């Protein structure tokens, strides 16, 4: 367990883990007995919570990450990532091991993720005293939808600290996501599985606490629902060739939250998110990298397309 950070501004809850990245010639991948992967298969730390924490810290926010990690080589990779980037980490023991996934990445940057769900247990919990001590005094808590974060929501709400969450590719129906959607003040999700993004976004706002709902739509930009008004946010131009979309949504959320904590209005926050998401798509899958504050503000000063 790393030492607690002094006066962390943002607590990121859950979503620590390791991905094995496999470049594939196309998606879906046709069946074959074997494929030769000339560009290499690499394992690196970086799942949703890690990437949000990295994005926030790179933008200059004091960030603390809390999750369960195994005493295993994968856990060591996660610990090393946080140490390298100066992100405070409280790693509680996870006997089932550190979360893992395999990402198949196509030439166009699209990915297919295979998650190992055996590395968690239904009875997993964050100790309430630890959770409360880390959340109180923060300006914001970002809650991933990984196990066991749902159980932490009542305690977090009691602290009064604003919450955000990312529902990822929610279909608008799966009940697992609803406690997160209804507890958060800011809700991010992907529009990928939504037939009617506006309908789902308005339902989130009506049934829960969300002041702001953002549905990202890749190269088509994003939908922003704030103060009851839906706005289309254009995509930002990537500063280099697109090589991998992994982590783009996490980068969007981190930059949006940076804007929110800087006092920017929702549309400006979403513009920051679009820029950071586009930057993330230019980072090779085997690397963990995020846009810094100077570059974000430089690009944000340019006219949007």
């Amino acid at each position: 367990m790393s030492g607690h950070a002094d006066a962390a501004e943002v607590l990121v809850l859950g979503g620590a883990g390791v991905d094995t990245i496999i470049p594939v010639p196309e998606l879906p991948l046709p069946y074959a007995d074997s494929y030769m992967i000339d560009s290499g298969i690499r394992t690196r730390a970086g799942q949703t919570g890690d990437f949000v924490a990295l994005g926030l810290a790179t933008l200059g926010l004091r960030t603390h990450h809390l999750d369960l990690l195994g005493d295993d080589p994968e856990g060591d990779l996660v610990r090393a990532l946080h140490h390298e980037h100066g992100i405070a980490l409280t790693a509680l023991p996870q006997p089932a091991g550190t979360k893992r996934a395999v990402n198949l990445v196509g030439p166009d940057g699209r990915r297919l993720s295979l998650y190992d769900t055996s590395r968690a247990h239904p009875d997993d919990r964050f100790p309430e005293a630890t959770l409360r001590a880390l959340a109180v005094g923060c300006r914001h808590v970002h809650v991933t939808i990984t196990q066991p974060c749902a159980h932490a929501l009542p305690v977090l709400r009691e602290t009064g600290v604003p919450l955000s969450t990312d529902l990822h590719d929610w279909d608008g129906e799966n009940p697992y996501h609803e406690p997160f959607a209804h507890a958060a003040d800011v809700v991010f999700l992907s529009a990928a599985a939504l037939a009617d993004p506006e309908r789902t976004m308005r339902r989130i706002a009506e049934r829960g606490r969300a002041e702001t709902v953002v549905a990202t739509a890749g190269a088509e930009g994003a939908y922003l629902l704030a103060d009851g008004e839906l706005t289309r946010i254009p995509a930002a131009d990537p500063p280099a060739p697109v090589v991998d979309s992994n982590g783009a949504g996490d980068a969007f959320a981190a930059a949006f939250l940076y804007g929110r904590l800087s006092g920017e209005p929702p549309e400006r926050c979403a513009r920051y998110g679009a820029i950071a998401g586009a930057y993330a798509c230019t980072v090779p899958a085997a690397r963990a990298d995020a846009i810094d504050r100077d570059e974000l503000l430089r690009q944000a000063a340019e006219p949007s397309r």
Side-chain angles (χ1 to χ4, degrees):
M1 183 185 298
S2 305
H4 293 255
D6 292 332
E9 294 174 276
V10 184
L11 173 65
V12 176
L13 195 64
V18 164
D19 288 347
T20 296
I21 311 296
I22 306 179
V24 294
E26 59 181 308
L27 284 174
L29 188 65
Y31 174 76
D33 182 69
S34 60
Y35 282 90
M36 302 298 111
I37 309 299
D38 296 335
S39 53
I41 296 173
R42 295 177 176 84
T43 298
R44 57 111 178 96
Q47 292 193 355
T48 181
D50 301 311
F51 279 137
V52 172
L54 175 63
L56 292 165
T58 306
L59 289 168
L61 291 165
R62 294 186 304 279
T63 305
H64 199 122
H65 193 182
L66 170 66
D67 202 2
L68 284 70
L69 287 182
D71 182 14
D72 49 24
E74 293 80 20
D76 291 342
L77 287 173
V78 174
R79 294 178 184 93
L81 174 73
H82 287 70
H83 179 75
E84 178 186 349
H85 293 278
I87 304 165
L89 172 68
T90 296
L92 304 171
Q94 172 53 282
T98 303
K99 288 185 283 292
R100 294 196 65 180
V102 173
N103 289 344
L104 307 183
V105 181
D108 59 357
R110 290 185 306 138
R111 64 127 195 248
L112 184 152
S113 295
L114 308 170
Y115 289 99
D116 179 353
T117 58
S118 71
R119 295 179 178 233
H121 192 278
D123 294 332
D124 289 340
R125 298 288 188 277
F126 296 117
E128 183 174 329
T130 302
L131 182 63
R132 196 179 295 274
L134 287 173
V136 171
C138 282
R139 299 176 61 198
H140 191 88
V141 178
H142 181 77
V143 186
T144 73
I145 60 171
T146 61
Q147 172 80 7
C149 292
H151 301 291
L153 292 170
V155 174
L156 292 172
R157 283 262 54 109
E158 284 176 19
T159 68
V161 179
L163 306 180
S164 59
T165 194
D166 188 340
L167 308 178
H168 297 280
D169 57 348
W170 187 38
D171 62 2
E173 303 296 336
N174 187 335
Y176 176 86
H177 300 69
E178 289 184 352
F180 298 95
H182 297 160
D185 303 281
V186 180
V187 175
F188 302 98
L189 74 163
S190 165
L194 301 178
D196 186 346
E198 180 176 0
R199 177 175 173 270
T200 300
M201 294 168 73
R202 291 195 180 278
R203 193 169 62 186
I204 289 170
E206 288 162 6
R207 296 184 180 180
R209 305 173 49 92
E211 309 161 4
T212 306
V213 183
V214 183
T216 56
E220 296 178 14
Y223 303 86
L224 169 68
L225 180 64
D227 300 321
E229 184 177 344
L230 188 76
T231 306
R232 289 298 300 269
I233 304 299
D237 292 321
V242 171
V243 293
D244 176 37
S245 60
N246 189 57
D250 302 322
F252 188 110
F256 187 102
L257 294 175
Y258 164 77
R260 181 179 170 89
L261 293 170
S262 301
E264 297 289 354
E267 283 195 45
R268 182 74 167 175
C269 297
R271 168 76 174 146
Y272 285 173
I275 291 167
Y279 178 92
C281 290
T282 69
V283 178
R287 269 178 41 215
D289 186 19
I291 194 168
D292 64 30
R293 182 164 49 193
D294 288 347
E295 180 62 17
L296 177 71
L297 297 180
R298 185 193 69 76
Q299 290 193 40
E302 297 175 354
S304 59
R305 62 181 173 85

